[in-house]
């Protein structure tokens, strides 16, 4: 059985336990993928329906309106049909 792919989007310097961090800044940690999730940078690097769980704590409010639409579309695209997203 493969390990669940869980992403902490906009994690800052300390991703949630058990999650792979994703942030625009490089914090020098091996458990954080450095990437920009805004619409200008296009499709996110994860495959369709490949992510089991997403956590985003105080991240979405930092996005511009068009980037929020892109965020929702990409979230829908990458989450597995039975996937879960917690957005705070």
């Amino acid at each position: 059985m493969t390990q669940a792919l869980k992403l902490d989007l906009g994690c800052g310097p300390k991703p949630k336990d058990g999650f792979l961090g994703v942030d625009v800044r490089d914090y020098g940690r091996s458990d954080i993928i450095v990437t920009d999730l805004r619409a200008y940078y296009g499709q996110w690097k994860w495959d369709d329906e490949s992510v089991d769980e997403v956590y985003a704590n105080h991240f979405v409010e930092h996005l511009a309106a068009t980037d929020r639409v892109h965020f929702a579309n990409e979230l829908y695209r990458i989450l597995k049909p039975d996937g879960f997203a917690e957005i705070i």
Side-chain angles (χ1 to χ4, degrees):
M1 181 170 203
T2 61
Q3 185 176 0
L5 178 54
K6 301 195 269 184
L7 303 176
D8 181 352
L9 303 181
C11 65
K14 189 170 189 305
K16 184 176 179 175
D17 288 340
F19 284 69
L20 179 62
V22 179
D23 203 280
V24 70
R25 293 190 181 114
D26 184 357
Y27 293 100
R29 292 180 56 136
S30 62
D31 58 346
I32 296 177
I33 294 173
V34 179
T35 191
D36 198 320
L37 300 175
R38 292 177 292 180
Y40 178 79
Y41 294 94
Q43 191 174 59
W44 295 352
K45 55 177 62 186
W46 298 277
D47 292 332
D48 295 357
E49 299 181 355
S50 65
V51 176
D52 297 280
E53 189 173 345
V54 167
Y55 178 74
N57 185 7
H58 297 288
F59 168 67
V60 178
E61 68 263 25
H62 297 285
L63 298 173
T66 55
D67 293 329
R68 288 184 202 135
V69 171
H70 178 69
F71 176 90
N73 289 338
E74 284 298 286
L75 185 61
Y76 180 80
R77 182 185 66 77
I78 68 168
L79 275 176
K80 291 181 177 178
D82 60 346
F84 178 79
E86 181 178 5
I87 301 170
I88 300 168

